[in-house]
Amino acid sequence: MHTFDSLLAQITPSAGPTRDITDPATGEVVGQAPIHTVADLDAAVKRAASAQSDWAALGHSTRSELMLAAADAIDASAEALAQLLTREQGKPLNGPNARFEVGGASGWLRAAASTPLDSQTVIDDGESHAVLHYRPIGVVGAIGPWNWPMMISVWQIAPALRMGNTVVVKPSEYTPLSVLALVTVMNEVLPGGVLQVVTGDREVGARLSSHPDIDKLMFTGSTATGKAIIRSSADTVKRLTLELGGNDAGIVLPDVDPAAIAQDLFWGAFINTGQTCAAMKRLYVHDSVYDAVVDELAAVAASMPMGVGTDENNVLGPLQNKSQFDIVSRLVEEARASGARVVMGGNPDADGPGYFYPTTLVADVNNDNALVQEEQFGPALPIIRYSDVDEALAMANGLDVGLGASVWSSDRDAAREVAAQVEAGTVWINSHGGVHPMIPFGGVKQSGYGLEFGVEGLKALGVPQVING
């Protein structure tokens, strides 16, 4: 079991170049992260390749036992991990935030360790006999984001380890400490070389995606970076799982009770202060309930305290970095200048510390507005009127992304009929953004490809082999 101080001390480099990591809520220095180089990455990949055959040879049962022990280690140091995550990423301890994320990291690790993946007899008719197996791929490179650094890293690490691969993780430059700490705790249980972290800049990331000894790459992040990874991985024909940008749509049908759905709408859009790939980024509401939905949503939003994450009362935090703060500010001001109505929010405090942007609802905004068309990735939700469901579907499907979406209705069957026409990898009914370790998750269009979670997620971290005869 670690305390915050002991965990931070353990991940602080004793030698070599470092850089300060600051708290996005206060500007205070949280700790120092090592500045790794391409040479460091090459050495980590070599160690991973050397360890992989022994790790695979342990078999599913033993690997699962070690993964469950690693989950126990995470749970034992959960509070220290949550405190570090709050101070580095900015998300509050409470609500669906830091403590929730650490719990999700151990939960997903347990799920991957416990999910069976049996060989499949595809034909056995007396003349032919063929069995489909899944073998380890080799060394997996995992590039994670800054919004859910621990949990998404585990989404990549857990199925890779379960299937007999070794893993080299590159965390976001904004949140390296959280991932360093997570891996440090897990490596108190796992064999040496099986799981490693390299913290570095884009040059390190580019080398990871083109490295000849990386056999599979998993990436969660922007569509633009995903496209660059596809290009740089082509020469080595790497297997890829890409979870890219979303700009998810929600469609509210005219039969809803606005008060009944307001809180779930709020968290669908504003979980992690809107900094979630599958958060609801644009909301289409039928004209007959539009004003009531806006009013009820505003009432819920006004009750949600935002502030420094270590304050136990807060459930919303700052934007994680200045770049994202500037994007949200620009999009809201452009919407305001176009004539859209800022129901609440906007106007961040320019004098206070931290990258706090107030919870913002923007009504009476046109669908072609930049706040609707671009993924804002922050606490600003555009709410668009519609009068016909076909019109709403056309607007929801009008972008080149399709990670998630939602349909809201008192008639679940009617909602499912609409959901079937939405172009997204997951469409939720009367909720938005919830994920489950046994339910496959992935995007369509330019939101990426490949599935994570459950049996399909395990298969994506293996090489299919048919033994015929």
Side-chain angles (χ1 to χ4, degrees), residues 139-328:
V139 180
V140 173
I143 302 177
W146 48 259
N147 57 337
W148 296 89
M150 290 187 183
M151 190 156 68
I152 291 180
S153 290
V154 168
W155 291 356
Q156 300 168 333
I157 293 166
L161 293 182
R162 168 70 168 74
M163 295 301 291
N165 308 291
T166 52
V167 186
V168 178
V169 181
K170 182 199 173 296
S172 166
E173 295 173 67
Y174 290 116
T175 53
L177 301 180
S178 297
V179 180
L180 281 165
L182 177 76
V183 171
T184 294
V185 170
M186 293 177 66
N187 276 341
E188 293 170 353
V189 173
L190 298 175
V194 167
L195 175 60
Q196 299 170 79
V197 181
V198 177
T199 66
D201 57 17
R202 292 184 179 182
E203 184 181 5
V204 173
R207 173 61 173 167
L208 191 62
S209 61
S210 63
H211 200 292
D213 295 324
I214 293 288
D215 303 292
K216 162 109 187 187
L217 197 67
M218 302 185 76
F219 170 73
T220 296
S222 71
T223 298
T225 302
K227 291 178 179 179
I229 287 171
I230 293 169
R231 288 190 290 268
S232 63
S233 67
D235 286 345
T236 52
V237 197
K238 294 191 193 315
R239 288 161 174 79
L240 300 175
T241 295
L242 303 175
E243 196 256 87
L244 309 179
N247 206 355
D248 287 13
I251 300 175
V252 177
L253 301 184
D255 64 355
V256 298
D257 176 351
I261 67 171
Q263 183 148 323
D264 289 333
L265 280 174
F266 175 84
W267 285 116
F270 293 100
I271 186 172
N272 198 25
T273 317
Q275 300 167 109
T276 297
C277 296
M280 186 166 56
K281 310 292 189 351
R282 49 198 173 111
L283 181 61
Y284 298 95
V285 181
H286 192 273
D287 187 70
S288 65
V289 291
Y290 184 91
D291 292 333
V293 168
V294 170
D295 290 346
E296 294 291 347
L297 187 52
V300 171
S303 72
M304 298 293 181
M306 175 183 287
V308 176
T310 51
D311 183 332
E312 299 275 354
N313 295 311
N314 292 325
V315 294
L316 299 172
L319 288 161
Q320 203 286 322
N321 54 78
K322 178 65 161 56
S323 175
Q324 201 58 45
F325 179 91
D326 290 344
I327 290 171
V328 176

Side-chain angles (χ1 to χ4, degrees), residues 55-199:
W55 175 246
L58 291 177
H60 286 300
S61 177
T62 301
R63 290 197 301 271
S64 292
E65 289 175 4
L66 288 166
M67 290 170 64
L68 292 172
D72 289 341
I74 293 172
D75 289 341
S77 295
E79 185 59 22
L81 289 166
Q83 289 282 343
L84 179 58
L85 178 60
T86 289
R87 298 182 198 191
E88 180 182 49
Q89 201 281 336
K91 65 182 64 183
L93 290 167
N94 291 325
N97 291 299
R99 289 175 177 137
F100 169 84
E101 179 170 349
V102 174
S106 65
W108 248 265
L109 195 59
R110 293 182 194 283
S114 303
T115 299
L117 177 58
D118 298 323
S119 300
Q120 178 186 354
T121 300
V122 293
I123 188 170
D124 186 11
D125 61 3
E127 296 182 5
S128 299
H129 182 269
V131 180
L132 174 63
H133 305 267
Y134 286 88
R135 301 170 56 85
I137 299 173
V139 180
V140 173
I143 302 177
W146 48 259
N147 57 337
W148 296 89
M150 290 187 183
M151 190 156 68
I152 291 180
S153 290
V154 168
W155 291 356
Q156 300 168 333
I157 293 166
L161 293 182
R162 168 70 168 74
M163 295 301 291
N165 308 291
T166 52
V167 186
V168 178
V169 181
K170 182 199 173 296
S172 166
E173 295 173 67
Y174 290 116
T175 53
L177 301 180
S178 297
V179 180
L180 281 165
L182 177 76
V183 171
T184 294
V185 170
M186 293 177 66
N187 276 341
E188 293 170 353
V189 173
L190 298 175
V194 167
L195 175 60
Q196 299 170 79
V197 181
V198 177
T199 66

